[in-house]
Amino acid sequence: MQARSLASVALRKAVSKGYEYHFDYFTISYSEEYSGLYGGVLQRQTQFAAACISRILSLYKSNKYTKSVPTSVIVIGHSMGGLVAKRLMAYPTTLKTTNVVITLAAPLQGPVLNFDTQFNEYYAIMRWEWQFFLNNSKEIKDKKILISIGSGPRDVLMPAGLTASNDSYINALVTAIPGVWVSPDHVSMVWCKQLVMVINRYLFDIVDPNTEQITQNRAELTAKAKQYFQANRSMTLDPKIIRPEVPMIVDAFWYEDNRRIYQISRPTIDRTIYLMIRLVSFPQNRFVAIEAINVDDKDWIFGCNAMYSNSIHRYCKHATSLGELSRWLGAAKTFGRRKLATIHLHNLIEQHPDWTHVIVKVSPTRKPIVLNVDINDHASREIKVNLPSILSFNKQVIKQETEANSLYYELLLPGFDVLHQAYLLYVEPTANCQSEYHVTAEMHVPWAKNHEYFHYFTHLQRSAMKLRLYKSNPKVILGLDPTEYVKVTILLDPMCTFKISISNSWYHRLAQFARHYTPILLPYVAAIVLLAARTNILNLKSGSGCVSIHSALMSESVKPYYVLVFARLVAVAMSASFLNMKFHIITWDNDEFKYFTNSLLVLPAFMIALGIVNVSAAVVLAIMVFSSQLAHRLLFRIMWRGGSGVAERVASGLQRLPLAVTAAMLFASQLACGAAALTMGAAFYAYLISKMYEEYLEDYVYKLMAKVASRICRIFKSKKNENKVKSTTCLALQEDSGESSTSESVKVVDKDTKVGETKNITNGKSKKDRSKREKIDNSKALVKKQGSCEAKEKSGEPNETDKQNQPTDVDVALNDLNFHMTMFFMWMTVTIINIPALLTWARNFQYSIVLRPDTSYNPGFLMSVCSALIWQKEILGAPRTNLKYYDVVDTLLFFMATFIIVLGPISMSLVNYAVTFMFVTITFQQMFDKCNEDNSAEVKEQPACEVKSDKGNESEETKDKEDCVSDDDNDKRQDDNDECKPEESESSPLVEDNCDVCDESRIYNVFKNLKEKFSFNNDV
């Protein structure tokens, strides 16, 4: 479908011109494979294209109706198809059948995102083939021509700097091609009418009329390529070019105007006109700019010696074309087609001293013709602009008002050298401009040939011109002083004067960052995740436990002034020439990445990546906390169609037996692709952590409810004690009044007293107090000796030695949760890098179950093996503290983060293996590493590196507390009618200490038991 525009225009051109030949267009379909993200399919696509070319040529056989049979094809490749097309020029089976190749927005210099090693391998093989088959054979290379075209500013998928190649004869942006000033996006470039017309004109012009096939003459191929794809922006003639003389029409209208600035306007032209511009050596006549509107002559400007004359004027019989000094300009459609010629007149006099005039030819036409001529000394029209400061937000005036009737100005922009810079250029009419106007501006980049683009200002369109680069100055990248500056040529309307100003554009500066440096953020994110993991490793080393992912990201270990300094030193060390041979990476020679690494831009990029990780962590946390049930139910309803009940049972079973998921992942890595195993593991890991969060929050709610209930209980109990104090006071008053005392027996149920034991409460204050005091002392001693209802030894409470070696303030569940959250982010980083492999496998699943080649196999297999350890709480348990080799892991994490910052932007495959290596290292260290003997020598019974959970002791705690007997039975035996009767036995202090109804632990266990009871009933 994309070739339809090229084919239809070619057919209409052949029919309308009456040619006896035409072009047959064939298309090759790759089923929209993701070759831009996954390099593993490029080799297969190249083989398929080579087979198609052989098949196409076999369709043409010699017969009496054709002069010759085609022996080669013209290949036009778009995007990654252009990369395949370039390789076909040096591919062994198509070496002699592909001579002309045109690439459209193809990444010839390197991939946009170098995700895997297959990209590096493909580019390396292509470079070797070009060197061996073409560069070493001049005879074969002279028959071939490669033209690469970039799409320009509207293409957000393919940076224009990557479309250039040292092997191309012409590298050009679409906006720099003569007759094309519209910037298409990445996809519409194939059917852009202006570009389609230019390509077809070139193809028809390189046909040899004798053989009706593509010419084998390299000189003709290159001359036509320059004519159609390269604009003439020189002011001087090339002395190497031989220019034939053209006869002139003697009886035409020859007109010479002695003014330096003027305009000639005619509604129609009935007779050929020759406008004569005299060549003189005056300083003010050094340069001329000529703008022609609606002049369609191919050769319209000449140089000659007007040595002949008649009674009215002088004229030339022959003249030499100066067409190489003219070019098409971009213009609004309603203002006509425009051409511009810029000529250095003094240089022309030096090269051709016999010439006397420059001639402008205008052929008869019905269109309105306008000629604008501006002769000046050039220096007065060249303005060197001081660019506004990076902190400036206002317009900076360059020219308050242009010269009256002037046409031409040049703006030099020193300091405008790198990609991330962006400015806005304003050309605004002054108050004396009362009519319609048209101004054209063209930006020229001297170190990036054919990277020009246009902008025009009219009374209806006054938007500013966006000044942006697509290739940085090579001298600035190397640290040298620039000698060439960006130039903006402005062609004004002579009928008005204008104000020219410039300003910073923060919006487009950020857009430049996003366009060219977004691929760098992913390696920086991976480095930050490793630094956050390093923070938790340091905490485990010190025994303080893991912190949350947000706390880790805010720690000192993640601060940029540590890792970026070391990264800068590593980058300097790796810039040595002998290290370049160690890494066969196609993007190693990318000057933009080198400049970025050596500049201060790494700091804002690091901070942006840090913000991305923080936001991602917040989003992941919110999803896991608030949507855990919804997420895992949706997941298992998709995977299991047996209903929600079955899905819940499957989820619960997998949570208790994660080895089943590990086995499935290992099978997926072998039978599908490693990326599929990584994605499956990421989903299950997220499910496990969501359940951990759910249990932790549930436990936190139960503890909170127990605390509230305990306080409420103690409030009511305090009121009850007040009533007891009142009744005791009443009893004392009765004794003082001389009432007879009686003794009675009271049965008190207590843990430390046998049931049914009789205790006497006798009259007499001293005896009663003494007995009460003795029992209280005995109960306190008993509490100190044996503890309360739950025995400390049974509950697993650590002894004093353990307390000195274990962090007493660490929440074990939260510690485990934070550790796994950090590991989950490392897992997700590897998964995201391998997404292209997953998409390619899913796209080609209908053709093959197994992805070949699989660049994600090694990370997928290794992390699947690690999941068998990291997900087993019975094996690994909580993260261990004070291990022997935490220092080594800490150093490795910092080194890998530095390594990723330096080399990650060059190749994502390095990031892939670096993060996988650290994940495997942390897993096996937690599994097999030993305790640090220096710190744990004092502890023999329980090593300091083990952190045991107290959840397993809850059942024993509950069992011990169930032995306590409540005081409710005693309370019922009190006489409600006697307000002054004591309601408390003498042994109540002992009962309170041993069996406190308001104890938080007891209430917490009640809630847990109720939850388990209801869960059991629901399951039943």
Side-chain angles (χ1 to χ4, degrees):
M1 293 296 291
Q2 294 181 350
R4 183 174 57 185
S5 298
L6 286 165
S8 61
V9 171
L11 180 61
R12 289 199 302 268
K13 183 177 178 64
V15 173
S16 62
K17 297 293 183 180
Y19 295 138
E20 296 181 357
Y21 54 86
H22 65 276
F23 285 97
D24 293 333
Y25 278 80
F26 298 87
T27 60
I28 299 176
S29 175
Y30 291 121
S31 300
E32 298 182 357
E33 289 183 311
Y34 302 111
S35 55
L37 298 175
Y38 184 70
V41 300
L42 290 174
Q43 181 65 31
R44 184 172 67 250
Q45 290 181 353
T46 303
Q47 297 172 354
F48 180 69
C52 290
I53 291 175
S54 300
R55 176 59 180 166
I56 289 171
L57 291 176
S58 66
L59 299 176
Y60 295 90
K61 299 180 181 180
S62 179
N63 55 65
K64 61 181 180 179
Y65 300 104
T66 58
K67 293 183 179 181
S68 61
V69 175
T71 58
S72 65
V73 297
I74 300 171
V75 183
I76 302 176
H78 173 246
S79 191
M80 298 305 293
L83 182 63
V84 174
K86 179 188 175 182
R87 188 179 176 188
L88 290 175
M89 296 185 73
Y91 199 65
T93 59
T94 58
L95 186 63
K96 297 181 180 179
T97 57
T98 53
N99 295 333
V100 179
V101 171
I102 301 174
T103 64
L104 307 176
L108 303 183
Q109 185 177 349
V112 180
L113 295 172
N114 192 3
F115 272 113
D116 51 66
T117 56
Q118 292 296 318
F119 276 121
N120 299 324
E121 181 179 347
Y122 188 85
Y123 278 91
I125 294 175
M126 182 175 63
R127 287 184 174 181
W128 181 85
E129 290 174 348
W130 268 76
Q131 180 65 31
F132 185 81
F133 293 109
L134 295 185
N135 295 336
N136 293 336
S137 177
K138 189 176 183 301
E139 180 181 357
I140 297 178
K141 189 174 182 179
D142 286 343
K143 297 179 181 179
K144 297 180 179 292
I145 183 171
L146 173 63
I147 301 171
S148 60
I149 303 173
S151 51
R154 290 184 180 272
D155 191 348
V156 297
L157 299 179
M158 185 65 62
L162 296 179
T163 60
S165 172
N166 294 331
D167 300 318
S168 301
Y169 182 75
I170 290 179
N171 295 302
L173 293 184
V174 173
T175 53
I177 296 175
V180 184
W181 55 85
V182 176
S183 175
D185 57 36
H186 186 70
V187 177
S188 64
M189 187 176 185
V190 182
W191 55 76
C192 174
K193 183 178 179 181
Q194 293 178 343
L195 181 60
V196 167
M197 296 291 290
V198 172
I199 292 175
N200 275 289
R201 292 191 190 106
Y202 172 71
L203 296 182
F204 276 96
D205 272 13
I206 61 175
V207 175
D208 188 348
N210 297 323
T211 61
E212 295 184 353
Q213 299 298 327
I214 302 299
T215 181
Q216 301 293 324
N217 189 343
R218 179 173 178 81
E220 187 173 354
L221 289 174
T222 55
K224 294 297 183 181
K226 285 184 177 180
Q227 175 184 343
Y228 287 103
F229 298 105
Q230 182 172 303
N232 303 314
R233 291 178 174 84
S234 177
M235 299 181 185
T236 59
L237 296 175
D238 186 357
K240 298 180 181 179
I241 299 178
I242 300 176
R243 304 170 188 84
E245 291 188 343
V246 178
M248 309 298 284
I249 303 175
V250 177
D251 59 348
F253 179 71
W254 295 78
Y255 172 74
E256 181 175 359
D257 197 318
N258 294 325
R259 294 175 297 174
R260 293 177 51 244
I261 301 176
Y262 55 91
Q263 181 184 82
I264 299 175
S265 178
R266 299 287 186 272
T268 58
I269 301 295
D270 298 329
R271 181 183 175 188
T272 301
I273 297 177
Y274 290 110
L275 175 63
M276 306 175 69
I277 301 174
R278 186 180 296 271
L279 295 175
V280 294
S281 58
F282 299 142
Q284 62 270 24
N285 291 64
R286 179 179 289 109
F287 171 83
V288 63
I290 307 169
E291 183 184 37
I293 303 175
N294 291 329
V295 175
D296 297 329
D297 297 280
K298 184 178 180 181
D299 292 324
W300 64 283
I301 188 165
F302 306 89
C304 69
N305 184 357
M307 57 186 300
Y308 303 98
S309 63
N310 56 22
S311 58
I312 302 176
H313 56 263
R314 300 173 64 183
Y315 64 92
C316 303
K317 288 186 178 181
H318 296 86
T320 302
S321 174
L322 304 179
E324 62 183 280
L325 302 180
S326 68
R327 60 184 183 272
W328 286 101
L329 290 176
K333 186 176 181 180
T334 57
F335 286 84
R337 302 183 66 189
R338 298 179 177 235
K339 288 182 178 180
L340 173 67
T342 53
I343 305 172
H344 196 291
L345 298 177
H346 286 188
N347 181 269
L348 201 63
I349 294 174
E350 293 176 1
Q351 291 185 350
H352 299 277
D354 57 325
W355 287 1
T356 60
H357 290 82
V358 171
I359 308 298
V360 179
K361 175 186 176 183
V362 181
S363 299
T365 180
R366 296 294 181 183
K367 299 179 182 178
I369 299 295
V370 178
L371 295 177
N372 295 314
V373 180
D374 189 351
I375 303 173
N376 53 73
D377 61 349
H378 189 264
S380 62
R381 303 297 177 84
E382 189 179 70
I383 303 174
K384 185 174 287 189
V385 180
N386 294 322
L387 294 175
S389 169
I390 191 173
L391 301 177
S392 175
F393 296 94
N394 298 323
K395 293 182 183 179
Q396 178 177 310
V397 178
I398 299 175
K399 187 76 173 177
Q400 187 66 38
E401 186 174 0
T402 58
E403 185 178 342
N405 301 322
S406 60
L407 170 69
Y408 186 87
Y409 274 91
E410 283 184 5
L411 306 179
L412 299 180
L413 306 178
F416 188 25
D417 300 309
V418 290
L419 284 178
H420 62 84
Q421 293 176 296
Y423 300 93
L424 295 176
L425 181 67
Y426 300 88
V427 180
E428 302 166 310
T430 57
N432 61 355
C433 185
Q434 303 296 332
S435 60
E436 298 180 357
Y437 66 90
H438 186 284
V439 177
T440 301
E442 176 190 28
M443 194 182 86
H444 172 68
V445 184
W447 58 82
K449 195 174 182 180
N450 298 320
H451 273 216
E452 293 79 11
Y453 66 93
F454 297 91
H455 185 84
Y456 52 84
F457 305 86
T458 66
H459 61 288
L460 298 177
Q461 181 176 337
R462 300 192 178 189
S463 60
M465 179 183 185
K466 305 174 186 66
L467 303 180
R468 296 168 293 187
L469 296 176
Y470 301 100
K471 183 179 181 180
S472 298
N473 193 332
K475 291 189 176 181
V476 173
I477 292 177
L478 297 175
L480 304 176
D481 294 331
T483 57
E484 298 176 309
Y485 307 125
V486 174
K487 180 175 68 175
V488 179
T489 301
I490 302 178
L491 295 178
L492 304 173
D493 192 327
M495 306 304 295
C496 297
T497 58
F498 298 88
K499 175 184 176 181
I500 305 174
S501 56
I502 192 172
S503 69
N504 266 319
S505 177
W506 280 98
Y507 173 78
H508 292 97
R509 186 183 288 265
L510 293 176
Q512 287 292 92
F513 270 109
R515 180 193 299 268
H516 298 284
Y517 299 137
T518 297
I520 295 175
L521 293 179
L522 184 55
Y524 276 48
V525 166
I528 290 171
V529 171
L530 292 186
L531 293 176
R534 177 173 178 259
T535 298
N536 279 332
I537 292 296
L538 292 175
N539 290 335
L540 291 174
K541 174 186 173 183
S542 63
S544 58
C546 296
V547 296
S548 66
I549 185 67
H550 288 94
S551 300
L553 293 174
M554 295 296 105
S555 64
E556 286 293 324
S557 299
V558 190
K559 291 299 191 312
Y561 42 76
Y562 291 123
V563 67
L564 293 183
V565 172
F566 280 93
R568 181 72 178 92
L569 297 176
V570 173
V572 172
M574 300 193 71
S575 61
S577 58
F578 71 91
L579 287 176
N580 292 352
M581 302 301 295
K582 301 294 182 181
F583 299 95
H584 300 286
I585 303 174
I586 187 61
T587 50
W588 181 268
D589 297 327
N590 193 318
D591 293 335
E592 304 300 342
F593 285 155
K594 290 182 179 179
Y595 170 79
F596 180 88
T597 304
N598 297 329
S599 67
L600 294 177
L601 296 176
V602 295
L603 181 58
F606 187 90
M607 300 308 296
I608 292 173
L610 182 59
I612 292 174
V613 179
N614 271 293
V615 173
S616 302
V619 172
V620 170
L621 182 62
I623 292 175
M624 289 184 176
V625 172
F626 298 105
S627 304
S628 61
Q629 290 290 335
L630 177 63
H632 85 266
R633 286 180 181 178
L634 178 63
L635 173 65
F636 284 99
R637 283 183 181 180
I638 293 175
M639 298 177 61
W640 190 280
R641 301 289 182 177
S644 59
V646 177
E648 290 294 333
R649 290 183 177 85
V650 171
S652 178
L654 291 178
Q655 185 183 0
R656 292 182 174 87
L657 189 62
L659 279 176
V661 181
T662 299
M665 291 166 54
L666 290 173
F667 278 111
S669 63
Q670 300 291 333
L671 303 179
C673 68
L678 288 171
T679 305
M680 185 188 307
F684 185 70
Y685 209 163
Y687 166 72
L688 289 180
I689 295 178
S690 68
K691 296 300 291 183
M692 293 172 66
Y693 264 112
E694 183 180 346
E695 293 173 0
Y696 173 76
L697 293 177
E698 184 181 82
D699 188 69
Y700 178 78
V701 171
Y702 287 153
K703 289 181 179 179
L704 183 62
M705 292 171 61
K707 188 173 184 180
V708 173
S710 176
R711 291 188 177 182
I712 295 174
C713 177
R714 294 186 186 280
I715 291 173
F716 284 101
K717 192 171 183 180
S718 64
K719 293 182 178 180
K720 192 174 183 180
N721 291 334
E722 291 177 0
N723 295 331
K724 291 180 181 180
V725 172
K726 291 182 180 180
S727 62
T728 304
T729 305
C730 292
L731 182 60
L733 291 175
Q734 289 178 5
E735 289 178 353
D736 292 340
S737 63
E739 294 181 0
S740 61
S741 59
T742 58
S743 60
E744 56 183 357
S745 300
V746 182
K747 292 184 178 181
V748 180
V749 180
D750 187 70
K751 179 180 180 181
D752 300 313
T753 306
K754 294 181 179 180
V755 178
E757 179 181 352
T758 305
K759 292 188 178 180
N760 295 326
I761 301 177
T762 61
N763 190 13
K765 183 176 181 181
S766 60
K767 185 177 179 179
K768 177 181 178 181
D769 292 342
R770 184 169 57 256
S771 175
K772 185 176 182 180
R773 191 180 305 112
E774 289 175 357
K775 291 182 179 296
I776 291 175
D777 293 339
N778 293 334
S779 64
K780 288 183 178 180
L782 183 63
V783 170
K784 289 182 179 180
K785 182 178 179 180
Q786 298 180 355
S788 59
C789 290
E790 58 175 339
K792 294 184 178 180
E793 293 179 359
K794 293 182 179 180
S795 64
E797 182 176 340
N799 54 30
E800 297 299 327
T801 306
D802 296 335
K803 290 182 179 179
Q804 295 176 2
N805 293 279
Q806 289 186 4
T808 58
D809 56 344
V810 173
D811 189 331
V812 179
L814 186 60
N815 180 42
D816 192 12
L817 189 57
N818 292 333
F819 174 77
H820 281 285
M821 179 60 78
T822 305
M823 299 296 287
F824 172 72
F825 268 82
M826 294 175 64
W827 190 297
M828 283 301 302
T829 301
V830 178
T831 304
I832 291 173
I833 295 176
N834 289 280
I835 282 179
L838 177 68
L839 295 176
T840 304
W841 169 76
R843 186 70 181 83
N844 298 331
F845 183 79
Q846 57 182 333
Y847 308 111
S848 175
I849 299 178
V850 183
L851 179 64
R852 291 287 183 268
D854 184 9
T855 58
S856 63
Y857 172 76
N858 291 332
F861 179 78
L862 290 175
M863 297 190 74
S864 297
V865 172
C866 290
S867 67
L869 304 176
I870 203 72
W871 292 345
Q872 301 296 324
K873 292 185 179 181
E874 294 79 4
I875 298 178
L876 181 61
R880 304 162 64 195
T881 61
N882 198 23
L883 293 180
K884 184 176 181 180
Y885 294 104
Y886 267 141
D887 289 332
V888 177
V889 177
D890 167 35
T891 305
L892 281 176
L893 282 169
F894 186 81
F895 172 76
M896 285 299 176
T898 305
F899 177 79
I900 288 173
I901 288 177
V902 175
L903 294 179
I906 299 175
S907 177
M908 296 290 182
S909 59
L910 300 178
V911 183
N912 193 8
Y913 286 103
V915 179
T916 302
F917 173 75
M918 291 314 307
F919 190 93
V920 174
T921 301
I922 295 174
T923 301
F924 279 84
Q925 193 235 4
Q926 289 289 321
M927 183 65 190
F928 301 108
D929 197 4
K930 298 180 180 179
C931 302
N932 194 342
E933 296 180 357
D934 296 337
N935 296 334
S936 61
E938 299 178 358
V939 183
K940 295 181 179 180
E941 297 180 358
Q942 183 177 355
C945 58
E946 296 181 1
V947 179
K948 294 185 177 180
S949 175
D950 57 352
K951 291 183 179 180
N953 302 318
E954 292 176 355
S955 59
E956 296 181 4
E957 178 183 350
T958 305
K959 183 177 180 180
D960 292 338
K961 288 193 175 183
E962 287 176 352
D963 296 336
C964 297
V965 181
S966 175
D967 293 336
D968 293 342
D969 296 336
N970 294 331
D971 294 336
K972 292 180 181 179
R973 291 176 182 159
Q974 305 303 322
D975 189 359
D976 296 335
N977 299 326
D978 188 359
E979 297 180 358
C980 296
K981 187 175 181 180
E983 301 181 36
E984 184 179 6
S985 68
E986 294 169 350
S987 60
S988 60
L990 180 61
V991 177
E992 282 190 43
D993 289 337
N994 289 337
C995 301
D996 188 2
V997 179
C998 300
D999 183 58
E1000 292 183 16
S1001 300
R1002 297 188 64 187
I1003 299 175
Y1004 169 78
N1005 288 324
V1006 170
F1007 287 139
K1008 292 285 290 184
N1009 293 334
L1010 288 175
K1011 183 255 183 183
E1012 293 176 0
K1013 181 179 180 180
F1014 286 127
S1015 299
F1016 176 78
N1017 292 335
N1018 291 335
D1019 293 339
V1020 174

